[in-house]
Amino acid sequence: MTEFDDQAALEPAVEEDAYQLDKRLISGILYTLEAKDRHTLVELLEPLHPADIADIIEQINPYDRRRLVQLYGEEFDGDILSELDDSLREEIIQVLRPDVLAEAVRELESDDIVDLVEDLDEPQQEAILDQLEDADRVAVEQALSFPENTAGRLMQRETVWVPEDWSVGQAIDHLRDARQLPEQFYHVILVDPRMKPVGNVTLGKLMSSKRNVPLSTITEDVFQTIPVTQDEEDVAYAFNQYHLISAPVVDGDERLIGMITIDDAMAVLDEEHEEDILRLAGVSEETSLSDTIFEAAKGRATWLFVNLLTAILASLVIGVFSETIDQMVALAVLMPIVASMGGNAGTQTMTVTVRALATKDLTSQNALRVARRELSVGALNGVFFGFIMALVAGFWFGVPMLAVVIGIAMVFTQIAAALGGIVIPMALDRAGIDPALASGPFVTTVTDVVGFFAFLGLASSILL
Amino acid sequence: MTEFDDQAALEPAVEEDAYQLDKRLISGILYTLEAKDRHTLVELLEPLHPADIADIIEQINPYDRRRLVQLYGEEFDGDILSELDDSLREEIIQVLRPDVLAEAVRELESDDIVDLVEDLDEPQQEAILDQLEDADRVAVEQALSFPENTAGRLMQRETVWVPEDWSVGQAIDHLRDARQLPEQFYHVILVDPRMKPVGNVTLGKLMSSKRNVPLSTITEDVFQTIPVTQDEEDVAYAFNQYHLISAPVVDGDERLIGMITIDDAMAVLDEEHEEDILRLAGVSEETSLSDTIFEAAKGRATWLFVNLLTAILASLVIGVFSETIDQMVALAVLMPIVASMGGNAGTQTMTVTVRALATKDLTSQNALRVARRELSVGALNGVFFGFIMALVAGFWFGVPMLAVVIGIAMVFTQIAAALGGIVIPMALDRAGIDPALASGPFVTTVTDVVGFFAFLGLASSILL
């Protein structure tokens, strides 16, 4: 079935580092900064996509960054600002000449301006809003009046809609007569007399249908409207789950007030994932490669501090058994193995649970069954690794009962890890706390405490 | 600026669990299975999106799953199969009646069939391909001839293209005359006489431009073609980076052979993220909530086994210092704290590095600067937490030199964690190994060994 070995020879060689910025290009740009050669700089940056220019700005050091923005001058456009990492925007905005900034912002669509200003300080926000024409300013301020991270912040206000009882011909004539259409639109939205969206017609269907066909007969099978206060994470979920390309946004009376397109939903999905990965590792979300050392250290310190407290707690458990350890130092040598295996198994179960909650695959419907399954998995791996470790410990220290103790302790710890890994994230989720953010410290506390207690406790009662 | 408190009152209450499957609905479905009430089952499932039906099948237990598929019978369509988790597809396909399966598959577009069959065993794959009409079968087999996880597997073969020198009017007439257009298309691709794609015109632009306008004057600013052998991860990156909605796929001679749309790219992005999150936690990617206990245990055991080896390695280090511990049991109590803090800091840096590599933000251009920054962050947090821990240990055990030892050991370990967290993923990436998959065990080995060695080594030379 797979004959790609022959085929591959006919295909273009795809470089390993597709879409990676060319190293020589960056060197060239740094050289133009050194030489203050504005002409060449513009020539080098002109053909690049704004997202790539933003990436270059993020990758060079703060000193070069400042020089680049100043030398590039009026060529610096709004799209570059839009594409920049949140953490760098304030810095760049402060360096931009006010007239360049004003011009840059005026080019942007209102939803991009919202995205740009929502994280800025009040004075910077005001400075940018002041540059806008009245209509844009009102649009942006209205968007900002919706809660952060909701559909209202994400949507564009410009939509293309027609009455639900129109025909294909009427819609085509309307579009061809329209003075200005949105930059990006893929559907014509059908609305009822109360402005409630009732269906989507793709432009492709519109173009290939006869003029007298009623629009209501060629709508898409899948149609979802998005409440304006819906969390953007759920918006991204809906786009991914139902393969939406664009969806109308409605207010509390179900009236059409905007539209979200899949590219914005994809960006949200990407951000949410990034946030989840970093939170699971205990890195605060603000951290990016362009943060300063102090910011980055602070972003990591919170979780490290929590971890310190849980580690001390685990040490207190060890402290209880210090006499036992004093009598048999092999316990001190082996105990980190029990804790480490428990910590890893707990992290595994916790990560599976956090993901399943995010993808809505874990619900109260199947929670009990999933928990039962995780406990069985923990028990199975506990027995398996407990047996291996018993053999290792037995041969290493030549004390048969030590082998029994570590084997049993491993089983206990693996089961506790499975239990903690599923119950803790679910409880946090139920309490309205992001399980990705807070589960880690609790789960490791459980596995450490159970691990040390089981191992040292068993040792003190069986061995000594 | 944000006045959402007032506003919120006017908006619809968005339920916490948007898009979560209704618990009563699932109970109702389970009841129809019990009662063998096919009519009601069809009535309940009919209004649902295939993706939601697939989710229900994933959430119920294997016994009910089988009963549902059998009772639902011929209503079971191809889209449900497409939406099912890979790990369940084989199971469901085996339960489906051959005629239902044949009918289900025939409904699907060729790219969905490829996605469906690529992970199946040879006999199941053959059984499905045999059901297809010749043209579809050839299309699917050609797609399968491209390497796994490349653009060739992802693309649809149906494209809409016109010669680059056509006008708007010619293109519109062509589309209106076309016998069959693809289900989903958003652009008309302009090609040169050698069939090389040279630009995209959105349908919206096409509809709103005058008939005599040359198409070449209204193409999109951003235009990317995708080589057919490009890795799907890079395809997803390109869509996200350049905000593409659809992109033509070209062969080795740069000729148009297919098209990828953003919804497929979004699905890939989602899968890649899932894979990264699970791999970082040491869970093999096959694991899903519907795996059996034994499969799940196996999926976790690989990493647990690697972890066991590294934990034993760390224990050997402790073993070297068992005499030291014998003389001062406080060391055994405190040493897990040093290792735990190192492990966590290492995981933080490693995760940031893995993410930055995935988003192409970390390159050879800025690697040194980023590494320097991480080392500084490690040193800063090392000094901070070393100081705190020195105080804690000093008060706890009343031995001033023990406080000094643990403080210095913490600094060493935090710096080693930063170094390991950045160097190991970068080296694996350079060697062509997925850093998300393999970094974890190496990083923890480094932090454990350095942590125990620094703490116990310093203790044995300073304290005793």
Side-chain angles (χ1 to χ4, degrees), chain A residues 59 83 243 274 355 369, chain B residues 59 83 274 355 369:
Chain A
Q59 282 182 25
E83 301 284 354
H243 311 286
E274 167 111 18
R355 277 299 298 163
R369 191 158 47 84
Chain B
Q59 283 182 25
E83 301 285 354
E274 167 110 17
R355 276 300 298 164
R369 192 156 48 83

Side-chain angles (χ1 to χ4, degrees), chain B residues 2-16:
Chain B
T2 52
E3 39 197 41
F4 67 80
D5 281 345
D6 310 356
Q7 189 94 20
L10 303 172
E11 306 306 331
V14 176
E15 339 83 279
E16 257 297 294

Side-chain angles (χ1 to χ4, degrees), chain B residues 46-304:
Chain B
E46 206 53 52
L48 298 184
H49 188 282
D52 287 333
I53 299 182
D55 280 350
I56 292 174
I57 294 175
E58 287 163 17
Q59 283 182 25
I60 60 182
N61 70 45
Y63 175 65
D64 287 334
R65 208 176 279 156
R66 189 174 287 263
R67 293 201 298 178
L68 187 149
V69 173
Q70 281 161 351
L71 194 61
Y72 201 38
E74 60 253 37
E75 309 295 328
F76 198 100
D77 67 18
D79 288 322
I80 306 178
L81 267 187
S82 272
E83 301 285 354
L84 269 180
D85 205 277
D86 293 354
S87 62
L88 269 186
R89 266 191 211 148
E90 289 194 47
E91 182 185 330
I92 299 297
I93 287 175
Q94 275 160 356
V95 183
L96 279 175
R97 284 202 330 249
D99 60 313
V100 175
L101 177 62
E103 186 55 36
V105 173
R106 261 189 239 119
E107 291 161 9
L108 292 174
E109 306 258 315
S110 69
D111 58 329
D112 289 327
I113 302 179
V114 171
D115 184 45
L116 188 66
V117 302
E118 63 181 355
D119 296 322
L120 296 180
D121 294 340
E122 196 89 4
Q124 275 200 328
Q125 210 175 57
E126 281 303 326
I128 288 185
L129 290 180
D130 284 342
Q131 308 294 344
L132 300 178
E133 286 165 36
D134 282 350
D136 281 340
R137 190 190 161 109
V138 169
V140 171
E141 285 182 343
Q142 266 182 353
L144 288 175
S145 73
F146 295 111
E148 263 187 273
N149 303 324
T150 60
R153 294 276 182 111
L154 209 57
M155 72 182 184
Q156 61 181 68
R157 305 178 79 77
E158 305 85 15
T159 58
V160 179
W161 58 270
V162 299
E164 57 180 331
D165 53 5
W166 276 21
S167 68
V168 167
Q170 283 174 294
I172 290 181
D173 293 344
H174 172 71
L175 290 182
R176 296 191 64 84
D177 289 345
R179 193 137 354 132
Q180 212 188 352
L181 290 171
E183 273 282 294
Q184 301 276 356
F185 78 105
Y186 313 101
H187 292 108
V188 173
I189 303 167
L190 305 191
V191 299
D192 74 6
R194 289 176 44 257
M195 274 305 280
K196 179 184 165 190
V198 293
N200 263 341
V201 173
T202 65
L203 294 184
K205 222 31 158 298
L206 194 63
M207 300 204 74
S208 59
S209 302
K210 297 217 182 313
R211 285 186 62 91
N212 57 357
V213 170
L215 290 175
S216 57
T217 61
I218 54 169
T219 55
E220 291 288 273
D221 292 342
V222 179
F223 179 68
Q224 295 266 344
T225 58
I226 311 266
V228 67
T229 52
Q230 183 154 85
D231 199 274
E232 61 177 16
E233 194 173 349
D234 288 325
V235 173
Y237 177 83
F239 271 83
N240 197 25
Q241 173 86 346
Y242 303 119
H243 310 286
L244 307 176
I245 296 296
S246 77
V249 177
V250 295
D251 65 12
D253 297 322
E254 296 192 67
R255 279 178 314 221
L256 177 69
I257 57 166
M259 177 181 81
I260 294 175
T261 49
I262 185 175
D263 51 328
D264 293 321
M266 188 177 186
V268 170
L269 188 80
D270 193 43
E271 280 165 30
E272 294 288 337
H273 276 296
E274 167 110 17
E275 199 180 276
D276 274 358
I277 287 189
L278 292 179
R279 283 183 168 184
L280 278 170
V283 181
S284 110
E285 58 203 288
E286 284 76 32
T287 302
S288 85
L289 287 192
S290 29
D291 280 349
T292 65
I293 291 167
F294 193 74
E295 281 168 345
K298 227 177 67 185
R300 318 269 171 93
T302 317
W303 154 276
L304 286 177

Side-chain angles (χ1 to χ4, degrees), chain A residues 1 4 11-12 14 18-20 23 26 49 51-52 55 59-61 83 125-126 144-145 172 175-176 181 185-186 203-204 206-209 211 222 224 228-230 234 237-238 240-243 245 252 262 270 273-274 277 281-283 288-289 291 293 296-297 300-301 303-305 307-308 315-316 318 322 325-326 329 332-333 335-337 340-341 344 348-349 351 355-356 360-361 363-366 369 373-374 376-377 380-381 385 396, chain B residues 1 4 7 11-12 14 18-20 23 26 49 51-52 55 59-61 83 125-126 144-145 172 175-176 181 185-186 203-204 206-209 222 224 228-230 234 237-238 240-243 245 252 262 270 273-274 277 281-283 288-289 291 293 296-297 300-301 303-305 307-308 315-316 318 322 325-326 329 332-333 335-337 340-341 344 348-349 351 355-356 360-361 363-366 369 373-374 376-377 380-381 385 396:
Chain A
M1 180 67 23
F4 68 82
E11 308 305 331
V14 177
Y19 304 112
Q20 195 148 29
K23 213 174 149 180
I26 298 187
H49 188 282
D52 287 333
D55 280 350
Q59 282 182 25
I60 60 183
N61 69 45
E83 301 284 354
Q125 210 175 57
E126 280 301 327
L144 289 174
S145 73
I172 290 182
L175 290 182
R176 296 192 64 83
L181 290 172
F185 76 104
Y186 313 101
L203 294 184
L206 194 63
M207 301 203 74
S208 59
S209 301
R211 287 187 58 92
V222 179
Q224 293 266 345
V228 68
T229 51
Q230 184 154 82
D234 288 326
Y237 177 84
N240 197 25
Q241 173 85 346
Y242 303 119
H243 311 286
I245 296 296
I262 185 175
D270 193 43
H273 275 297
E274 167 111 18
I277 286 189
V283 181
S288 84
L289 288 190
D291 280 349
I293 291 166
R300 318 268 172 95
W303 154 276
L304 286 177
F305 189 74
N307 182 64
L308 184 66
S315 288
L316 289 174
I318 304 175
S322 49
I325 294 173
D326 223 5
V329 77
V333 175
M335 69 183 185
I337 297 179
S340 158
M341 292 296 282
N344 276 287
Q348 289 180 332
T349 304
T351 305
R355 277 299 298 163
K360 302 180 200 286
D361 289 337
T363 61
S364 51
Q365 161 67 26
N366 61 351
R369 191 158 47 84
R373 193 192 72 142
E374 286 299 324
S376 311
V377 169
L380 206 61
N381 275 336
F385 288 105
W396 188 348
Chain B
M1 178 68 25
F4 67 80
Q7 189 94 20
E11 306 306 331
V14 176
Y19 304 113
Q20 197 149 30
K23 213 174 151 178
I26 298 187
H49 188 282
D52 287 333
D55 280 350
Q59 283 182 25
I60 60 182
N61 70 45
E83 301 285 354
Q125 210 175 57
E126 281 303 326
L144 288 175
S145 73
I172 290 181
L175 290 182
R176 296 191 64 84
L181 290 171
F185 78 105
Y186 313 101
L203 294 184
L206 194 63
M207 300 204 74
S208 59
S209 302
V222 179
Q224 295 266 344
V228 67
T229 52
Q230 183 154 85
D234 288 325
Y237 177 83
N240 197 25
Q241 173 86 346
Y242 303 119
H243 310 286
I245 296 296
I262 185 175
D270 193 43
H273 276 296
E274 167 110 17
I277 287 189
V283 181
S288 85
L289 287 192
D291 280 349
I293 291 167
R300 318 269 171 93
W303 154 276
L304 286 177
F305 189 74
N307 183 65
L308 184 66
S315 287
L316 289 173
I318 303 175
S322 50
I325 295 174
D326 223 4
V329 76
V333 176
M335 69 184 186
I337 297 179
S340 158
M341 292 297 282
N344 276 287
Q348 289 180 331
T349 304
T351 305
R355 276 300 298 164
K360 302 179 199 287
D361 288 337
T363 60
S364 51
Q365 162 66 26
N366 61 351
R369 192 156 48 83
R373 194 192 71 142
E374 286 299 322
S376 312
V377 169
L380 206 61
N381 275 336
F385 288 105
W396 188 348

Side-chain angles (χ1 to χ4, degrees), chain B residues 371-429:
Chain B
R372 240 184 355 247
R373 194 192 71 142
E374 286 299 322
L375 283 178
S376 312
V377 169
L380 206 61
N381 275 336
V383 169
F384 178 67
F385 288 105
F387 182 71
I388 295 182
M389 205 43 229
L391 286 181
V392 172
F395 279 107
W396 188 348
F397 295 97
V399 182
M401 282 317 281
L402 182 62
V404 173
V405 164
I406 198 165
I408 297 176
M410 291 277 278
V411 177
F412 274 120
T413 313
Q414 293 290 308
I415 292 176
L419 199 64
I422 191 151
V423 169
I424 290 169
M426 287 199 71
L428 289 171
D429 186 59

